């Protein structure tokens, strides 16, 4: 078998920095974990807070701390560090080769979607961000690590896409259609979900958007581990245009 992990993310329209932070860490007893934190805003300050949380979580996971304990520790850490004045949503998706399970840990109201072959199940989260109180506990779900399993984790920019135009993204339908008709790569699924969300916002994302897709596929392996990262670089013209758009939007808000 082979585990595929793919990510597709973009910033809110007019923002230069995403409040979503994502990292992948190798588990000391075998496997991988993806840590995704939604900073509840866009821009530099949200990025600082979400990065602080993610770096705390991955350092604990790398030391062998269990996912739920790492999430609780990160919440207490953020509460202490920011005096309860910073709130973020946290999700952890792990392929644990020691227990041979997929572990879904999240303090996040956005659901996590789990597909077995082409049947999709929606797993609800916890509508309480971390960092606002002590002893906040995440929702934890464990499922067998089996070929044919697909997991989709995302931030609320995806689920809210199109809401200002009276439309929403039906993730279940998209997943079922793609998994029924073909055997897509994890990256193809992530790209499709993100592109449809952006389209629903008429090409101008109303919030930061991040999608993580994990697939367990039955495939012959050469035992070589591979990681591919693609980071778009904005030109100076793009940067100035974004600043101008942000300034115009701020002036309009002040005028109101």
């Amino acid at each position: 078998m082979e585990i595929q992990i793919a990510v597709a993310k973009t910033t809110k329209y007019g923002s230069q920095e995403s409040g979503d932070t994502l990292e992948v860490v190798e588990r000391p007893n075998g496997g991988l974990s993806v840590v995704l934190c939604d900073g509840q805003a866009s821009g530099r300050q949200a990025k600082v807070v979400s990065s602080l949380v993610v770096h705390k979580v991955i350092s604990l996971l790398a030391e062998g701390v269990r996912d739920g304990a790492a999430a609780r520790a990160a919440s207490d850490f953020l509460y202490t560090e920011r005096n309860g004045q910073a709130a973020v949503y946290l999700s952890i998706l792990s392929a644990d080769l020691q227990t041979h399970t997929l572990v879904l840990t999240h303090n996040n109201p956005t659901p996590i979607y789990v597909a077995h072959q082409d049947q999709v199940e929606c797993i609800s989260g916890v509508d309480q961000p971390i960092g606002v109180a002590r002893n906040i506990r995440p929702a934890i779900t464990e499922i067998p690590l089996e070929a044919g399993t697909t997991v989709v984790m995302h931030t609320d920019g995806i689920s809210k896409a199109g809401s200002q135009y009276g439309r929403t993204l039906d993730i279940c339908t998209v997943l079922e259609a793609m998994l029924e008709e073909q055997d897509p790569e994890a990256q193809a699924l992530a790209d499709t979900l993100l592109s449809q969300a952006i389209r629903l916002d008429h090409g101008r994302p109303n919030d930061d958007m991040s999608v993580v897709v994990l697939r367990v596929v039955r495939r012959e392996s050469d035992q070589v581990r591979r990681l591919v990262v693609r980071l778009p670089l904005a030109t100076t013209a793009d940067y100035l245009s974004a600043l101008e758009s942000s300034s115009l939007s701020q002036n309009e808000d002040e005028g109101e």
Side-chain angles (χ1 to χ4, degrees):
M1 293 192 301
E2 178 180 272
I3 297 171
Q4 299 178 353
I5 295 176
V7 176
K9 65 196 299 282
T10 191
T11 61
K12 178 180 179 180
Y13 179 74
S15 177
Q16 286 299 301
E17 198 155 15
S18 172
D20 296 348
T21 298
L22 182 146
E23 295 284 353
V24 180
V25 62
E26 189 168 1
R27 300 174 70 85
N29 296 315
L32 295 168
S33 292
V34 184
V35 183
L36 176 61
C37 186
D38 183 348
Q40 295 300 283
S42 191
R44 179 61 182 168
Q45 188 55 41
K47 186 65 173 182
V48 169
V49 175
S50 64
S51 295
L52 187 70
V53 170
V54 168
H55 292 159
K56 183 66 174 180
V57 173
I58 63 173
S59 67
L60 292 170
L61 293 177
E63 293 172 0
V65 176
R66 300 177 77 173
D67 296 35
R72 293 194 298 273
S75 179
D76 288 345
F77 168 73
L78 181 60
Y79 177 79
T80 302
E81 187 76 12
R82 296 302 175 98
N83 299 311
Q85 300 302 306
V88 299
Y89 287 123
L90 174 67
S91 300
I92 307 171
L93 171 57
S94 296
D96 189 339
L97 299 187
Q98 185 178 32
T99 61
H100 213 67
T101 59
L102 294 173
V103 185
L104 287 53
T105 305
H106 58 318
N107 286 94
N108 197 326
T110 60
I112 294 178
Y113 297 88
V114 178
H116 300 283
Q117 305 303 333
D118 59 350
Q119 301 298 313
V120 182
E121 177 186 1
C122 178
I123 299 177
S124 300
V126 175
D127 193 8
Q128 182 181 32
I130 69 169
V132 296
R134 291 192 178 277
N135 301 317
I136 292 178
R137 293 180 175 274
I140 302 175
T141 303
E142 288 193 58
I143 59 177
L145 182 61
E146 298 175 340
T149 302
T150 301
V151 181
V152 175
M153 183 171 73
H154 62 88
T155 54
D156 61 2
I158 297 294
S159 54
K160 293 178 181 177
S163 58
Q164 59 185 330
Y165 305 106
R167 303 179 64 188
T168 57
L169 177 61
D170 190 339
I171 295 178
C172 280
T173 299
V174 174
L175 278 177
E176 287 173 352
M178 292 190 70
L179 294 173
E180 182 179 10
E181 296 175 1
Q182 52 188 297
D183 185 22
E185 296 285 320
Q187 192 64 62
L189 281 170
D191 290 344
T192 297
L193 290 169
L194 181 64
S195 64
Q196 292 201 19
I198 293 173
R199 191 178 301 115
L200 287 173
D201 273 345
H202 292 192
R204 297 184 174 188
N206 198 44
D207 195 0
D208 300 322
M209 298 179 175
S210 300
V211 185
V212 179
V213 176
L214 182 150
R215 295 207 71 206
V216 184
V217 297
R218 195 177 302 280
R219 178 173 299 177
E220 291 295 328
S221 173
D222 57 7
Q223 301 303 312
V224 175
R225 301 184 180 197
R226 296 177 175 87
L227 176 65
V228 177
V229 179
R230 296 180 181 178
L231 176 66
L233 298 178
T235 64
T236 302
D238 293 332
Y239 177 71
L240 294 175
S241 176
L243 285 179
E244 183 180 358
S245 297
S246 179
S247 177
L248 288 173
S249 177
Q250 182 178 359
N251 290 336
E252 288 173 359
D253 291 341
E254 290 174 353
E256 293 176 356

